[in-house]
Amino acid sequence: MDATLAGRLAEYRVMRRDLEASVLPLATSVDGLRFGFQAPLEPLALRVGGYVVLESTGAPRLGQVLSLAVEHADAGEVGLHGASTHMLIRLARGEGVVLDGPLEPFHDAIVRPAAPEEVRTWLHATAPRRAVLPAGQLTRADGLVHALDAGGFDRHTFLCGQSGSGKTYALGVLLERLLLATSLRIVVLDPNSDYVRLTEVRDDVAPELAARYREAAAGVVVHRAAASGTGRLRFRLGELDEQAQAAALRLDPIRDRDEYAELTALLADLRPETLAALHTADRPAAAALARRASNLGVDAWSVWARTDPGSTLDALEDPAVRCLVVDLGSLATREEQALTAGAVLERLWRLRARREPTLIVIDEAHNVCPAVPADPLTALATEHAIRIAAEGRKFGLYLLTATQRPQKVHPNVVSQCDNLVLMRMNSSADLAYARDVFSFIPAGLLDLAAGFTLGQALVGGKLSSHPALVKMGPRIAQEGGADVPSTWAGT
């Protein structure tokens, strides 16, 4: 490049930079609710999900940026070394929503980033009068804790994030805050034994908080297969409904109509508490069904109560049990896990007339209520979940379903969720699905999930004053599960 051309190029760049820096940060709204804006690229102080102040005539407004993109604008012809040249400049354009202030149209309002104190004032003014859950810090307002509305959990909630996003940790944070701040009853279907240590406080928790949490967690009970006494995860055969009993024995009411009818009559007449009782019953049909159970290995399942008093389903009616963690991960077979999940959901639905507010947490929901159930027991559990999702709210039954793959959960469960907690999600197909189902969350914020760091989440719906980007706060209790250490990789 010769010196003349290099000089012209340098002058062009200086001129373009000066023109780009002269772009005014202005916003306009035709309805007072949403606004469009322009801003200079350097320095670009605005970020998607961030907070801005819109200053025009009258009171200032607080807004949130929902989208941001680079655009080119025609700056017309400029003189350069005695010649004219056409120049395109770059600037930022985007859209946002007004969070606070006069709901009137405005034109050419100055846009500037909101100071944390300005956001804090708005959050304080709009905070609900009921319990709040300090879930974590806003990532777009340094130093501010975002408190979720505890009452917002009276809507179904969907929590999703890919493996390694911090989903399990985040769900633990929510459960701990609910235990501390509310009297809401909680039932957790825990397939990976992640929440079995909810009563064990971490060593680094402040003494005052630790004492408060221990008191709140006094009603947490864990049922697992390896436990003894009343803490053992167990059911009696007679507690299960007819469909679950038949599904456990792989009996179809049409294909196996004779055996199905025999099972129904036998259970009605003998009311056996265990499958072992079928071996001693003086009826040919009982012996045949006992052999079927033995051949399938169903009679060897560890989930049967056998000689143990009571059952896990009894704990659902025990007023002393504030939170029941059903450790599905302690069961040896997938069939036992499906049977247990279905039995718990069926019993909760059967108890709906009590109208006792209960949060039903289904972790790894793609296994409990999948989009395409692979077997009769899972199909039954899915039916119960769908029924609760569709009709449970009026009876005080609220779902919190968590998964890595939203498309793998039955759509009749996902579509009923009015709250979203979205963590890192790299799959473009999953993000597209989320945009379609959770249309109440701006698409520009949902798209950020692909770049979330560990523990970062987007929360929206009734549980949040606005769609907010948060970094989940610290856990109080110990985590039950943990990743396998990577010591195999060497140093």
Side-chain angles (χ1 to χ4, degrees):
M1 182 183 299
D2 60 42
T4 302
L5 181 57
R8 289 182 177 181
L9 182 58
E11 184 179 352
Y12 176 88
R13 286 172 173 168
V14 169
M15 185 177 297
R16 185 178 65 177
R17 183 170 61 249
D18 291 343
L19 287 172
E20 290 175 346
S22 69
V23 173
L24 295 175
L26 300 175
T28 296
S29 173
V30 297
D31 58 10
L33 300 174
R34 297 179 67 91
F35 61 89
F37 67 90
Q38 66 177 37
L41 283 177
E42 290 190 38
L44 183 59
L46 308 182
R47 302 176 66 189
V48 176
Y51 306 94
V52 295
V53 173
L54 308 167
E55 297 176 330
S56 60
T57 57
R61 298 168 171 84
L62 181 72
Q64 184 182 27
V65 175
L66 302 183
S67 66
L68 193 61
V70 176
E71 289 193 7
H72 290 82
D74 188 353
E77 291 190 355
V78 296
L80 191 65
H81 284 286
S84 295
T85 184
H86 206 71
M87 181 171 290
L88 291 177
I89 62 171
R90 299 157 298 179
L91 71 160
R93 290 194 190 274
E95 293 185 338
V97 62
V98 175
L99 299 175
D100 188 39
L103 298 181
E104 301 173 352
F106 55 88
H107 179 61
D108 283 350
I110 297 295
V111 183
R112 64 170 175 82
E117 190 56 39
E118 291 172 308
V119 180
R120 187 198 311 275
T121 299
W122 173 69
L123 289 174
H124 179 75
T126 57
R129 298 187 181 276
R130 52 198 176 192
V132 294
L133 313 177
Q137 290 197 344
L138 290 172
T139 61
R140 296 294 195 256
D142 291 342
L144 294 190
V145 173
H146 186 52
L148 302 181
D149 181 357
F153 283 91
D154 69 352
R155 298 293 192 272
H156 302 316
T157 302
F158 195 73
L159 190 162
C160 58
Q162 69 181 48
S163 178
S165 65
K167 173 179 66 69
T168 300
Y169 186 97
L171 180 52
V173 170
L174 295 178
L175 295 178
E176 291 162 3
R177 304 308 190 262
L178 284 167
L179 287 171
L180 271 173
T182 76
S183 60
L184 183 64
R185 203 153 190 246
I186 303 172
V187 176
V188 183
L189 296 178
D190 184 4
N192 292 324
S193 308
D194 287 321
Y195 310 102
V196 297
R197 302 179 68 186
L198 270 179
T199 59
E200 303 176 32
V201 179
R202 293 176 175 233
D203 295 335
D204 57 352
V205 176
E208 181 182 353
L209 177 59
R212 286 178 50 222
Y213 183 77
R214 288 191 180 97
E215 182 180 358
V220 176
V221 173
V222 178
H223 279 208
R224 58 194 319 176
S228 59
T230 57
R232 192 170 85 81
L233 178 52
R234 67 213 184 280
F235 301 109
R236 296 185 297 272
L237 178 65
E239 291 181 299
L240 304 179
D241 65 6
E242 180 181 300
Q243 287 181 301
Q245 293 166 340
L249 294 173
R250 302 185 191 178
L251 290 175
D252 183 270
I254 304 302
R255 186 184 62 247
D256 308 306
R257 54 186 178 274
D258 293 335
E259 286 182 282
Y260 192 100
E262 288 174 358
L263 175 65
T264 302
L266 187 65
L267 295 174
D269 293 343
L270 300 181
R271 300 185 180 278
E273 290 296 298
T274 66
L275 284 169
L278 298 178
H279 288 281
T280 58
D282 187 20
R283 292 175 60 160
L289 288 170
R291 288 194 298 273
R292 183 183 187 91
S294 180
N295 290 341
L296 292 172
V298 175
D299 57 349
W301 287 354
S302 63
V303 77
W304 301 123
R306 307 186 191 283
T307 59
D308 298 305
S311 81
T312 295
L313 297 182
D314 292 336
L316 297 176
E317 303 184 52
D318 186 348
V321 178
R322 160 75 191 284
C323 172
L324 176 63
V325 179
V326 182
D327 185 9
L328 300 179
S330 66
L331 296 169
T333 67
R334 180 71 188 87
E335 292 82 2
E336 289 176 89
Q337 294 177 1
L339 174 73
T340 301
V344 169
L345 294 174
E346 191 276 334
R347 177 59 63 90
L348 287 168
W349 178 251
R350 197 189 305 176
L351 297 172
R352 67 191 182 280
R354 299 189 308 174
R355 294 181 178 270
E356 180 179 15
T358 303
L359 181 69
I360 305 168
V361 180
I362 306 178
D363 195 17
E364 305 296 349
H366 53 278
N367 291 326
V368 174
C369 46
V372 183
D375 58 82
L377 285 172
T378 303
L380 274 180
T382 302
E383 287 179 17
H384 297 317
I386 291 172
R387 184 180 297 112
I388 292 172
E391 305 176 51
R393 276 194 55 248
K394 69 182 75 170
F395 299 106
L397 299 177
Y398 316 124
L399 287 177
L400 194 169
T401 53
T403 184
Q404 299 175 20
R405 296 296 309 277
Q407 294 186 88
K408 298 295 184 180
V409 181
H410 200 284
N412 289 344
V413 172
V414 181
S415 62
Q416 295 295 328
C417 294
D418 294 322
N419 296 320
L420 175 65
V421 180
L422 176 65
M423 308 194 75
R424 186 171 70 246
M425 189 72 65
N426 287 340
S427 168
S428 57
D430 284 334
L431 281 174
Y433 180 75
R435 283 194 295 270
D436 183 48
V437 176
F438 302 105
S439 56
F440 57 89
I441 305 292
L445 299 184
L446 290 169
D447 289 341
L448 295 176
F452 283 171
T453 58
L454 178 64
Q456 190 174 354
L458 166 65
V459 294
K462 189 182 177 185
L463 55 74
S464 181
S465 57
H466 65 293
L469 301 172
V470 301
K471 178 75 172 180
M472 299 304 293
R475 287 287 303 268
I476 300 172
Q478 300 284 356
E479 293 182 75
D483 292 338
V484 175
S486 58
T487 52
W488 49 267
T491 58

